[in-house]
Amino acid sequence: MSMNYKIKRRVKLVLPYIFLLAIMVVGGIYFISNSNQFRELKISSWWWLTALFLSCLLQSVPSAIINKKLLSLFEIQLGFWEALGLVYISGVGNYFVPYIGGMSLRATYLKRKYEFSLSYFAGTVGATALLSIFVNSLIGIIVVIYLLIVKGIFSLPIFLLFIGLFLLAGLVAFSPIRRIKSSNHFFSKINKIWEGWRIISQRTADILVLAFLVFSTAVFNVLIMYSAFRVLNEIIPIADAIIISTLSALSAIVNITPGGLGITELVIVFSSQALGQLTIISVSVALIIRVVSALLVFAGGGISSYKLSRSIFDHPVRKQ
């Protein structure tokens, strides 16, 4: 292993935490500078805070069903609670190692218990990401056009972002899947990833079900965003909540900090500002959503890690 490779690897490991530290410093300075305004904010509705908790909790249900549905295409039958547990431990893992931490935990569990190929696992992750980008960007395009026609409001940067992501997802989804003829170990892995996507993409009915589940997740994201604003007694138009929540969901593409810390919040703040919301309110909303979601993720992750680890040791490896 060359020295350059070791240096590059260390930089990749450290860089997310440097980004996070920079965001935290800037955020801390902003908070101190506007501390008087933050003190004036208060929870105006405990009912809406309860609705926020429930929306965050129920958001995991479609994600669990997506996991369950995708793996059933590979003849692996997860139980619902098992699939839900994998959602939570993935969320916890992402807080420690950006993006790949959660995937690694999920992949390790499926490998040890079901002998599920890591390359096929990559195919399921790719399919989920592709459908998420496709559905969320389509929702964004529709809402931006709606705002233009009905209210005369239009944001060209946001519209171009949605269009670009939609076209990119469509290009990947509908391009011919090729197989590389090579005995090379690396290319054989790539071929398995393509094979995984091929198995998923050939089942139109299943793709439609998965797309509906992704849409269901998007609906819960909207409820989360709307509820968070209402907690502070801010009434936000549903169309605005859809755009902000959709951009927030798509920010997972650039999940370069632990748990998306800072990145998701920046997306919420900037998109809220673009739609006319006060910065102090959008920052508070982003923090409320982060605190609630983190509490649920770590609570669910703690319970799930215990249950799933027991499941591995109590039951032999079984592929159905």
Side-chain angles (χ1 to χ4, degrees), residues 209-225:
V209 170
L210 290 169
F212 173 76
L213 291 169
V214 172
F215 176 76
S216 301
T217 303
V219 170
F220 282 115
N221 284 335
V222 175
L223 292 174
I224 289 168
M225 193 62 60

Side-chain angles (χ1 to χ4, degrees), residues 260-273:
L261 281 166
I263 301 299
T264 304
E265 285 73 21
L266 285 175
V267 171
I268 292 174
V269 170
F270 288 137
S271 57
S272 298
Q273 285 180 326

Side-chain angles (χ1 to χ4, degrees), residues 119-153:
S119 299
Y120 284 164
F121 173 78
T124 65
V125 171
T128 306
L130 198 62
L131 284 170
S132 179
I133 295 170
F134 193 85
V135 171
N136 281 288
S137 58
L138 179 59
I139 293 171
I141 292 169
I142 292 171
V143 174
V144 169
I145 293 174
Y146 165 81
L147 288 174
L148 175 62
I149 295 173
V150 176
K151 298 187 177 182
I153 302 171

Side-chain angles (χ1 to χ4, degrees), residues 184-199:
N184 183 275
H185 179 72
F186 172 77
F187 288 124
S188 67
K189 292 290 184 183
I190 296 297
N191 286 333
K192 282 193 174 183
I193 293 173
W194 275 338
E195 179 68 14
W197 171 245
R198 185 191 65 79
I199 292 172

